[in-house]
Amino acid sequence: MGCFGEREKLEDARAEQKWGYINLRDFRSTSCFSPFSYGVLYVFLLISVAVYAVDLFTAANLLFFNRWSGQVKPVISFNIAKWIFAACILLSLVLLVYRWIHALRVIRSGVVAASYLDPLAVRIQSIRPGARGQGWRRFLVFSALTESRKGAEYVALFTHFSFEAWIRIIFAQGPRQLLNAQTLYAVMQADLVPAGDHAAKDGRSAASQFWVNIGILASDNREQAAILFGMLFTLIIWIISVVSLLVACIFYVTFLWHHIPRSDGSLTRYCRRKIDTRLSKIVSVKVNKALARHDILRAREAGRTPSGERPPQVKRQPTIPIVDDDE
């Protein structure tokens, strides 16, 4: 069973699998979680833009000005670290351009499942402005596709999205995050570990003195502390991504390899088939509800019941008074 296999031609998708078949006005938010998730999407979008802006600034300083952007220097030679960081940043930018080209191709195809399986396409579709774009409504469609899934489908989607970013995680982020880890370790050994000049004093424990040393470092040089915190944050995010990739590999080898039918041929096609099935059910429910509402309105206007029969007319009937025999 292949992991990705040959990509299906998006032009071969049926009409009911495309955005044009869906009435976006039928999708409405039914909880406060959807607006919150929509706001989080914008927050992560801004963070992504900021990260790439910092990468561009760092690459420009390294390649054009031959200097390090920040007071925290790497533990290895500058000439070696310079080219490692620059190569990783340039590779990440190349991958970003490729992702944009692929996402725009998916969006032009109009296939809902293909957009759902592309994280960048999901973001672009969800922020499309205006009455024509209806980004909020498209976001609700993606949310509906995520709900009420079986455990195997969640595992398949998790594995697919983890595999989708493997080049970026290993080659575009891996080398520079390893350098960041070495730099953080050197700073910790020199300034934070409670030993030598930074040993515990006044009866403090080693753990307490460690946090005291962090406070001293932050108060002496706030810029350096902010840079170190940023390095630590990105390192933690990268470690989580690596762990997710390893877990996805385990899921694929131990479960998905045997679970995916041979007729699908690959993980991507399996996920797309499941999404198309889920989309068909959702649209059918929405269409049936809309038709039922339309029938009720037409019946009310015509003075008939939804089944087409006229409602029974209540006529006044003469009544016979009841007389008590004892009176």
Side-chain angles (χ1 to χ4, degrees), residues 20 45 51-52 57 107 112 118 120 128 137-138 151 159 176 183 191 197 211 231 254 271 304 308:
L45 181 62
V51 169
Y52 280 107
F57 177 74
I107 292 174
V112 179
D118 189 311
L120 183 57
R128 292 177 63 175
R137 301 285 186 181
R138 295 175 189 269
T159 304
R176 55 175 169 169
T183 303
D191 300 327
D197 296 337
W211 293 105
M231 294 171 63
T254 60
C271 293
R304 297 176 180 273

Side-chain angles (χ1 to χ4, degrees), residues 242-319:
V242 172
V243 173
S244 299
L245 183 59
L246 293 175
V247 172
C249 292
I250 295 173
F251 280 154
Y252 184 78
V253 173
T254 60
F255 174 67
L256 293 175
W257 181 275
H258 313 282
H259 178 75
I260 298 176
R262 291 186 178 275
S263 57
D264 289 325
S266 66
L267 176 62
T268 301
R269 291 181 180 179
Y270 172 79
C271 293
R272 180 171 169 179
R273 179 173 62 83
K274 290 295 184 179
I275 295 170
D276 288 336
T277 302
R278 174 67 177 160
L279 178 65
S280 178
K281 293 180 180 179
I282 293 173
V283 173
S284 296
V285 172
K286 298 289 185 181
V287 170
N288 291 336
K289 287 183 178 180
L291 291 176
R293 289 195 299 266
H294 183 68
D295 289 342
I296 292 175
L297 292 176
R298 290 187 61 184
R300 289 177 179 176
E301 293 175 357
R304 297 176 180 273
T305 61
S307 60
E309 299 178 354
R310 287 188 177 276
Q313 300 293 330
V314 180
K315 297 181 179 181
R316 297 184 63 182
Q317 301 291 337
T319 58

Side-chain angles (χ1 to χ4, degrees), residues 49-71:
V49 173
V51 169
Y52 280 107
V54 172
D55 283 347
L56 283 173
F57 177 74
T58 303
N61 278 327
L62 290 174
L63 297 177
F64 300 111
F65 301 103
N66 200 35
R67 66 186 181 188
W68 199 261
S69 57
Q71 299 181 358

Side-chain angles (χ1 to χ4, degrees), residues 76-90:
I76 65 175
S77 172
F78 171 77
N79 290 329
I80 298 176
K82 164 188 173 180
W83 290 110
I84 291 177
F85 268 80
C88 290
I89 292 173
L90 292 177

